[in-house]
């Protein structure tokens, strides 16, 4: 792109290279998603009920779809180069506004400001992604035709969200108004995820498998980190004196979260990354869609659910007015254990899609977590947290021992690749230390 317009001054969009990695602007953009996950957790915890949980999952599904579209755009052009950061900043502002409106999106339908703000913000985010993607495929008639198959989904999603904001208030306090609103949000989710499967792949190529896998791995780490923040802030752990029970709860919370990190990033995630690199053309694109865009959603949802349960349990443990021997009340234990089960089930689906294997250790852990829920509800709150931590840590410890040979070979391969990559980078940068040739005539 050339000229004297703002695009010309900022520079052109740069296509994604085969070995490209995630750049810093993309991580900066992820800060908005951190806030969005935090808002979902906080809004649900503030007034927890079955309806609030349903709303949280609906909002998460719609938010995750915008992330998927974002990742498709980022797979075609570098988001931190040329004029692209300007448009992405507009998208960030719209996404931030969308997150701010979420606590009011399902409030009393007579006050429709929250739903309208959410709908308009979402439209702006989608329009930014559309403009960038069309620019990326401007020289590919085939991909432009392929993109047009997704226009009904984009138009339908935005119209349904606008309808969810405008129709219920016009129903004049009818008891059916909340059902209509929830049904329209559910139709948005159904439309988006069925379109992704029925109309084929979003893009004609996936230039950098490395960028794609790293992008999704980072957002999963962000979600895990957000769960730690939610537990610490929501349970008022920071505002309480460091009693032995509070310290124990904090340590257990970190241990089981680290175990869930280990469950994905020690063997499954790196092996799936290699599998995606090995796949080519259509199989690579469908694997990227199925494993990352779809299987990551239950993992993210599981993280939010166990963060809600852990927050409630840790809040009771740190409350000086609640005896330490008292079991957790309400849905805290089912949420805690159920969230971890959902996370592991999503991870097993991911493993099955990318590696075509299933670890019996994961299946056993999920079964053990399920049968231990009634027991955990009768244990003191700290005991329930300790039981969950023991199962999660025990699972990853067993895998380290049982799969030692394969795990060692995998990590040796990864380290060799990393060393080769770092040596190549060091050789390139060594040229910066070479003296520059003097200009002619000096």
């Amino acid at each position: 792109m050339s000229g004297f317009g703002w695009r010309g001054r900022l520079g052109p969009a740069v296509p994604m290279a085969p070995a490209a990695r995630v750049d810093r602007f993309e991580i900066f953009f992820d800060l908005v998603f951190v806030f969005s996950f935090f808002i979902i957790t906080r809004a649900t915890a503030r007034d927890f009920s079955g309806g609030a949980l349903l709303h949280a999952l609906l909002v998460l599904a719609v938010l995750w779809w915008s992330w998927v579209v974002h990742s498709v755009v980022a797979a075609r052009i570098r988001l931190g180069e040329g004029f692209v950061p300007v448009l992405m900043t507009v998208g960030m502002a719209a996404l931030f506004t969308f997150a701010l409106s979420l606590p009011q999106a399902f409030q009393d339908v007579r006050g429709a400001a929250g739903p309208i703000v959410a709908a308009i913000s979402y439209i702006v985010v989608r329009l930014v992604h559309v403009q960038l993607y069309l620019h990326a495929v401007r020289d590919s008639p085939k991909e432009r035709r392929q993109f047009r198959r997704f226009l009904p989904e984009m138009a339908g999603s935005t119209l349904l969200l606008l309808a969810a904001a405008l129709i219920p208030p016009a129903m004049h306090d009818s008891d059916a108004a909340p059902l209509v609103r929830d049904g329209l949000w559910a139709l948005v989710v159904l439309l988006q995820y069925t379109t992704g499967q029925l109309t084929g792949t979003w893009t004609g190529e996936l230039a950098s498998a490395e960028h794609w896998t790293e992008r999704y791995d980072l957002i999963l780490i962000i979600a895990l980190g957000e769960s730690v923040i939610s537990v610490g802030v929501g349970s008022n752990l920071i505002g309480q004196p460091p009693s032995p029970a509070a310290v124990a709860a904090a340590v257990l919370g970190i241990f089981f979260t680290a175990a869930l990190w280990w469950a994905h990033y020690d063997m499954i995630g790196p092996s799936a990354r290699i599998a995606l690199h090995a796949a080519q053309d259509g199989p690579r694109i469908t694997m990227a869609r199925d494993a990352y865009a779809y299987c990551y959603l239950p993992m993210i949802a599981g993280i939010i659910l166990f963060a809600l349960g852990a927050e409630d349990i840790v809040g009771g443990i740190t409350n000086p007015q609640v005896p330490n021997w008292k079991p957790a009340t309400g849905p805290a234990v089912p949420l805690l254990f159920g969230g971890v089960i959902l996370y592991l089930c999503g991870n097993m689906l991911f493993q099955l899609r990318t590696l075509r294997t299933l670890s019996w250790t994961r299946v056993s852990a999920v079964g053990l977590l399920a049968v231990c829920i009634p027991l955990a509800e009768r244990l003191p709150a700290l005991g329930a947290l300790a039981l969950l931590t023991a199962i999660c840590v025990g699972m990853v410890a067993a895998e380290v021992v049982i799969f030692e040979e394969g795990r060692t070979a995998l990590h040796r391969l990864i380290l060799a690749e990393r060393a080769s990559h770092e040596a190549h980078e060091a050789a390139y940068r060594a040229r910066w230390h070479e003296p520059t040739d003097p200009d002619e005539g000096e």
Side-chain angles (χ1 to χ4, degrees):
M1 243 182 200
S2 60
F4 298 98
W6 64 275
R7 288 189 178 185
R9 293 189 179 93
L10 293 172
V14 180
M16 186 63 64
R21 303 284 300 272
V22 174
D23 66 32
R24 289 174 177 81
F25 185 85
E26 294 179 76
I27 300 174
F28 176 53
F29 185 87
D30 287 347
L31 294 175
V32 182
F33 277 91
V34 175
F35 180 72
S36 300
F37 293 150
F38 183 77
I39 285 293
I40 293 173
T41 307
R42 295 269 46 77
T44 309
R46 183 180 61 187
D47 184 24
F48 184 82
S49 63
L53 185 59
L54 172 64
H55 297 159
L57 295 177
L58 289 173
V59 167
L60 176 64
V62 173
L63 180 68
W64 180 252
W65 189 256
S66 71
W67 162 259
V68 170
V69 175
H70 164 76
S71 66
V72 172
V73 174
R76 299 307 306 268
I77 55 177
R78 299 178 187 266
L79 299 187
E81 299 294 335
F83 68 87
V84 179
V86 176
L87 286 179
M88 288 307 303
T89 302
V90 175
M92 285 176 63
L95 187 60
F96 188 73
T97 306
F98 178 76
L100 286 173
S101 67
L102 293 180
Q104 291 79 39
F106 292 92
Q107 294 294 326
D108 190 341
V109 296
R110 291 172 297 180
I116 290 176
V117 171
I120 294 176
S121 301
Y122 186 78
I123 292 172
V124 173
V125 173
R126 296 300 299 270
L127 288 175
V128 169
H129 288 147
V130 167
Q131 183 173 358
L132 287 175
Y133 188 81
L134 288 176
H135 178 79
V137 300
R138 65 192 183 281
D139 297 325
S140 175
K142 178 183 177 181
E143 289 191 281
R144 289 202 304 271
R145 289 193 302 269
Q146 194 172 10
F147 170 78
R148 284 197 288 269
R149 292 184 297 176
F150 288 86
L151 289 178
E153 176 273 315
M154 188 187 74
S157 297
T158 53
L159 288 175
L160 285 171
L161 285 178
L162 282 173
L166 298 174
I167 293 177
M171 297 178 69
H172 305 294
D173 300 333
S174 170
D175 293 338
L179 295 177
V180 170
R181 176 201 58 205
D182 296 353
L184 289 170
W185 273 80
L187 283 176
V188 172
V189 175
L190 183 65
L191 174 63
Q192 291 176 335
Y193 289 87
T194 54
T195 299
Q197 286 291 326
L198 296 179
T199 60
T201 56
W202 301 286
T203 180
E205 65 177 67
L206 183 61
S208 176
E210 186 68 24
H211 176 273
W212 184 269
T213 56
E214 186 178 16
R215 201 78 192 87
Y216 279 81
D217 283 347
L218 286 173
I219 198 65
L220 188 63
I221 291 176
I222 285 173
L224 286 169
E226 186 279 330
S227 71
V228 175
I229 296 172
S230 293
V231 172
V233 174
S235 63
N236 200 27
L237 192 60
I238 299 174
Q240 300 294 336
S243 65
V247 171
V251 171
L252 290 172
I254 292 297
F255 274 30
F256 86 74
T257 305
L260 296 180
W261 173 90
W262 188 288
H264 180 75
Y265 292 98
D266 183 54
M267 291 189 294
I268 303 301
S271 300
R273 167 181 163 271
I274 295 172
L276 191 64
H277 273 282
Q280 296 294 326
D281 302 325
R284 171 185 282 190
I285 296 172
T286 54
M287 181 187 294
R289 178 197 64 192
D290 298 341
Y292 289 87
Y294 281 79
C295 294
Y296 264 55
L297 177 58
M299 296 168 66
I300 300 290
I303 290 171
I304 291 179
L305 291 181
F306 78 65
L308 287 169
E311 175 183 332
D312 195 0
I313 289 175
V314 175
I317 293 171
T318 58
N319 188 344
Q321 299 180 351
V322 177
N324 291 335
W325 51 263
K326 187 177 181 181
T329 57
V333 170
L335 279 174
L336 179 67
F337 279 69
V340 175
I341 290 172
L342 182 57
Y343 175 90
L344 292 177
C345 286
N347 194 255
M348 287 191 292
L349 288 174
F350 176 84
Q351 178 186 356
L352 190 62
R353 179 62 182 87
T354 55
L355 308 177
R356 302 189 184 280
T357 62
L358 202 58
S359 302
W360 64 266
T361 50
R362 307 290 173 96
V363 178
S364 302
V366 167
L368 186 58
L369 285 166
V371 300
C372 284
I373 292 177
L375 172 62
E377 289 182 307
R378 293 173 173 80
L379 291 175
L382 190 60
L385 194 60
L387 177 61
L388 177 83
T389 304
I391 295 173
C392 294
V393 173
M395 179 192 70
V396 297
E399 291 182 345
V400 168
V401 175
I402 295 169
F403 305 124
E404 178 183 6
E405 183 178 352
R407 179 178 177 273
T408 301
L410 173 65
H411 281 262
R412 188 182 296 119
L413 176 64
I414 293 171
L415 287 175
E417 179 200 19
R418 187 178 302 166
S420 174
H421 179 72
E422 290 170 349
H424 178 75
E425 286 189 334
Y428 181 88
R429 291 165 184 161
R431 297 184 298 178
W432 299 344
H433 302 287
E434 298 174 359
T436 56
D437 294 333
D439 295 336
E440 292 184 8
E442 287 187 359

